[in-house]
């Protein structure tokens, strides 16, 4: 009996040893994700954590409106009033009359702020049209602006033809591009407020007599909804037949803010399930890992101007540099490739480090490229570049550089002059404010004294009149 127990224990130990050497698949991205393309991105650095077909051009549907509202926020006064044109309305267009709208009619006057909230929260296509016309005059002109801004925000494969995302074979983007656009959009406080709003009231106007209350269609924001996600910041949904169900979600937990984008999900419920699965994968499995001098050794580079070494710069990681690492991937597996030149010009000091990880189940291999910091260190005895001058010139230049300090760069001088002028202007305005305020207080005091004198005089005259009446 004892022998059998001993054999069983030995078998269990061997089995445990074998399974311990097999990577756990529980932390890898679970299947299935119904969306044909998705991406999970760190909102601060832009690092892609996991993806599938993230660069595939697809129809976005109404997640297009993230860029529409961002451009409206950047270019319009929220208190401005817009008059709805006949071109902006949806009700009169048979092709789109059953799409999302807030029943705007030609000639209706409505505030820009109401249009922005209607576009994001209600996904109103007529409101998106109005914003486009208010910014650029026409949808066509606005589409050009959208594409220009998308490129500025890091989009690589986007071409928008309208502000709302209704079907157009040339209206395409990618999961990666939408994550990049959203990443920068949420840095705008005015946009973020709209992006995270759950309920909004549109007041009456010249055509409507009642308040219109709209509720966000992105149900992950609603605490009483089964799809509510802890830490959710905001999001946007979309749907058309060609696009399927699309969605963008931003959530923050602890020290991580993540952006999930899914395109081509098979149903509305699956879209939210996909977004939750992707976000959970990021929050549950990735840890914030600092980039330190242990990863990138401090390096010294020369600064050369006019064929002379005029200074050196010490190059090292900034104190707040980090990346997100899957807990199943050790720090030793991350590859650090530095791009640090032996010499720079004053205006071209741009050292960087690129982080990658060999292909594995858990992380996207290209972690990202980060700019390193540099600290100027003046040489005590700069040496001209070899071969650039003869020996006599070399000696003279050495003596000259030892005696003379390096002059400030022209760009720095201009910057200091501008800063100084700004401070002088601010100081003058502050002095003017206090002088004006003192004069105002003096005038107010004189007025109060005059009023008091008039009151006292009137009171004396009234008392005198009463005395005379008694007599």
């Amino acid at each position: 009996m004892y022998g059998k127990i001993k054999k069983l224990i030995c078998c269990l130990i061997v089995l445990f040893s074998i399974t311990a050497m097999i990577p756990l698949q529980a932390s890898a991205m679970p299947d299935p994700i119904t969306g044909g393309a998705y991406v999970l991105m760190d909102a601060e650095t832009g690092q892609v954590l996991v993806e599938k077909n993230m660069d595939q051009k697809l129809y976005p549907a109404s997640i297009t409106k993230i860029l529409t509202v961002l451009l409206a926020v950047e270019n319009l006064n929220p208190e401005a009033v817009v008059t709805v044109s006949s071109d902006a309305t949806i009700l009169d267009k048979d092709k789109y009359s059953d799409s999302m709208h807030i029943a705007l009619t030609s000639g209706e006057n409505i505030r820009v702020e109401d249009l922005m909230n209607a576009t994001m929260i209600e996904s109103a296509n007529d409101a998106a049209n109005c914003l486009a016309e208010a910014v650029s005059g026409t949808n066509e002109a606005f589409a050009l602006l959208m594409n220009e801004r998308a490129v500025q925000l890091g989009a690589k494969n986007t071409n928008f033809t309208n502000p709302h995302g209704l079907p157009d074979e040339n209206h395409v983007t990618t999961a990666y591009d939408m994550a990049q656009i959203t990443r920068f959009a949420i840095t705008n406080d005015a946009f973020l407020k709209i992006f995270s709003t759950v309920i909004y009231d549109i007041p009456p106007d010249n055509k409507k007599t009642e308040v219109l209350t709209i509720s966000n269609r992105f149900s992950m924001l609603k605490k009483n909804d089964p799809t509510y996600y802890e830490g959710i910041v905001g999001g946007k949904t979309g749907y058309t037949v060609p696009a399927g169900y699309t969605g963008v979600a931003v959530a923050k937990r602890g020290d991580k803010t993540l952006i999930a984008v899914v395109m081509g999900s098979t149903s509305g419920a699956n879209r939210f399930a996909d977004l939750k699965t992707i976000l959970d994968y990021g929050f549950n499995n990735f840890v914030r890992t600092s980039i330190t001098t242990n990863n990138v050794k401090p390096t010294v580079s020369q600064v050369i101007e006019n064929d002379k070494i005029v200074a050196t710069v010490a190059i090292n990681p900034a104190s707040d540099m980090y990346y997100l690492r899957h807990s199943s991937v050790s720090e030793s597996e991350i590859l650090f490739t530095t791009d640090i030149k032996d010499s720079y010009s004053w205006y071209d000091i741009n050292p960087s480090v690129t982080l990658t990880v060999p292909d594995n189940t858990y992380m996207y291999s290209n972690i990202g490229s980060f700019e390193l910091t540099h600290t100027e260190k003046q040489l005590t005895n700069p040496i001209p570049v070899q071969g650039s001058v003869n020996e006599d010139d070399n000696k003279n230049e050495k003596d000259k550089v030892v005696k003379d300090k390096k002059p400030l760069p022209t760009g720095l001088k201009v910057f200091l002059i501008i800063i100084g002028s700004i401070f002088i202007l601010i100081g003058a305005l502050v002095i003017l404010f206090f002088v004006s305020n003192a004069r105002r207080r003096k005038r107010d005091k004189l007025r109060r004294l005059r009023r008091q004198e008039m009151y006292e005089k009137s009171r004396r005259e009234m008392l005198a009149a009463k005395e005379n009446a008694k007599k």
Side-chain angles (χ1 to χ4, degrees), residues 100-102 117-124 214-217:
M100 297 306 304
H101 60 79
I102 54 170
N117 279 278
T119 300
M120 182 65 69
I121 298 171
E122 185 66 15
S123 200
I214 54 177
S215 177
N216 205 314
R217 294 180 172 275

Side-chain angles (χ1 to χ4, degrees), residues 175-189:
Y176 175 85
D177 287 0
M178 285 308 307
Q180 277 288 88
I181 291 169
T182 304
R183 177 187 165 209
F184 286 97
I186 60 176
T187 63
N188 185 302
D189 291 339

Side-chain angles (χ1 to χ4, degrees), residues 185-260:
I186 60 176
T187 63
N188 185 302
D189 291 339
F191 174 91
L192 187 58
K193 180 181 178 182
I194 299 168
F195 194 56
S196 59
T197 297
V198 178
I199 300 289
Y200 184 82
D201 290 331
I202 300 176
D205 55 34
N206 64 320
K207 292 293 185 77
K208 294 183 174 66
T209 59
E210 296 181 356
V211 172
L212 174 62
T213 299
I214 54 177
S215 177
N216 205 314
R217 294 180 172 275
F218 188 77
S219 60
M220 294 175 77
L221 274 169
K222 301 176 180 180
K223 290 188 176 181
N224 60 347
D225 193 279
T227 64
Y228 173 72
Y229 193 81
E230 189 68 35
I232 195 71
V233 172
K236 183 75 187 78
T237 60
Y239 170 75
T240 62
V241 173
Y245 293 84
T246 63
V248 176
V250 180
K252 178 178 175 61
R253 289 184 184 176
D255 56 5
K256 296 188 286 289
T257 301
L258 304 180
I259 301 169

Side-chain angles (χ1 to χ4, degrees), residues 169-414:
E169 63 180 7
N170 296 317
H171 188 93
V172 293
T173 188
T174 67
Y176 175 85
D177 287 0
M178 285 308 307
Q180 277 288 88
I181 291 169
T182 304
R183 177 187 165 209
F184 286 97
I186 60 176
T187 63
N188 185 302
D189 291 339
F191 174 91
L192 187 58
K193 180 181 178 182
I194 299 168
F195 194 56
S196 59
T197 297
V198 178
I199 300 289
Y200 184 82
D201 290 331
I202 300 176
D205 55 34
N206 64 320
K207 292 293 185 77
K208 294 183 174 66
T209 59
E210 296 181 356
V211 172
L212 174 62
T213 299
I214 54 177
S215 177
N216 205 314
R217 294 180 172 275
F218 188 77
S219 60
M220 294 175 77
L221 274 169
K222 301 176 180 180
K223 290 188 176 181
N224 60 347
D225 193 279
T227 64
Y228 173 72
Y229 193 81
E230 189 68 35
I232 195 71
V233 172
K236 183 75 187 78
T237 60
Y239 170 75
T240 62
V241 173
Y245 293 84
T246 63
V248 176
V250 180
K252 178 178 175 61
R253 289 184 184 176
D255 56 5
K256 296 188 286 289
T257 301
L258 304 180
I259 301 169
V261 179
V262 64
M263 302 181 72
S265 289
T266 54
S267 71
N270 287 339
R271 167 185 52 207
F272 291 122
D274 288 347
L275 289 172
K276 179 183 183 301
T277 298
I278 296 168
L279 288 171
D280 282 347
Y281 179 72
F283 287 122
N284 295 339
N285 295 290
F286 284 82
V287 292
R288 189 179 175 109
T289 306
S290 297
I291 301 174
T292 67
T293 52
N294 294 329
N295 309 123
V296 183
K297 294 181 180 180
T299 306
V300 174
S301 292
Q302 300 171 339
V303 179
I304 298 176
E305 297 293 342
N306 299 321
D307 292 333
K308 290 181 299 210
I309 302 172
V310 296
T312 61
V313 288
I315 297 170
N316 54 280
S319 59
D320 58 348
M321 293 179 67
Y322 77 92
Y323 66 99
L324 297 182
R325 176 178 54 83
H326 196 285
S327 56
S328 296
V329 178
S330 68
E331 290 188 58
S332 61
E333 293 180 68
I334 307 299
L335 304 179
F336 292 78
T337 305
T338 56
D339 181 14
I340 304 175
K341 298 179 182 178
D342 293 332
S343 62
Y344 292 94
S345 160
W346 278 118
Y347 305 101
D348 187 32
I349 304 175
N350 55 353
S352 64
V353 58
T354 299
L355 277 61
T356 55
V357 61
D359 290 341
N360 63 83
T361 309
Y362 308 107
M363 291 178 66
Y364 180 64
S365 59
N366 183 15
I367 295 172
S369 184
F370 303 81
E371 293 183 1
L372 299 172
T373 62
H374 62 276
T375 305
E376 181 182 338
K377 299 178 70 175
Q378 179 70 41
L379 281 175
T380 56
N381 187 21
I383 304 171
V385 177
Q386 294 297 321
S388 60
V389 291
N390 59 41
E391 292 183 1
D392 291 335
D393 289 338
N394 188 21
K395 183 177 182 301
N396 291 336
E397 290 297 337
K398 283 184 185 181
D399 296 338
K400 183 177 178 181
V401 173
V402 169
K403 294 177 182 178
D404 299 334
K405 293 183 178 180
K406 180 180 69 65
L408 289 173
T410 303
L412 181 57
K413 289 180 181 178
V414 172

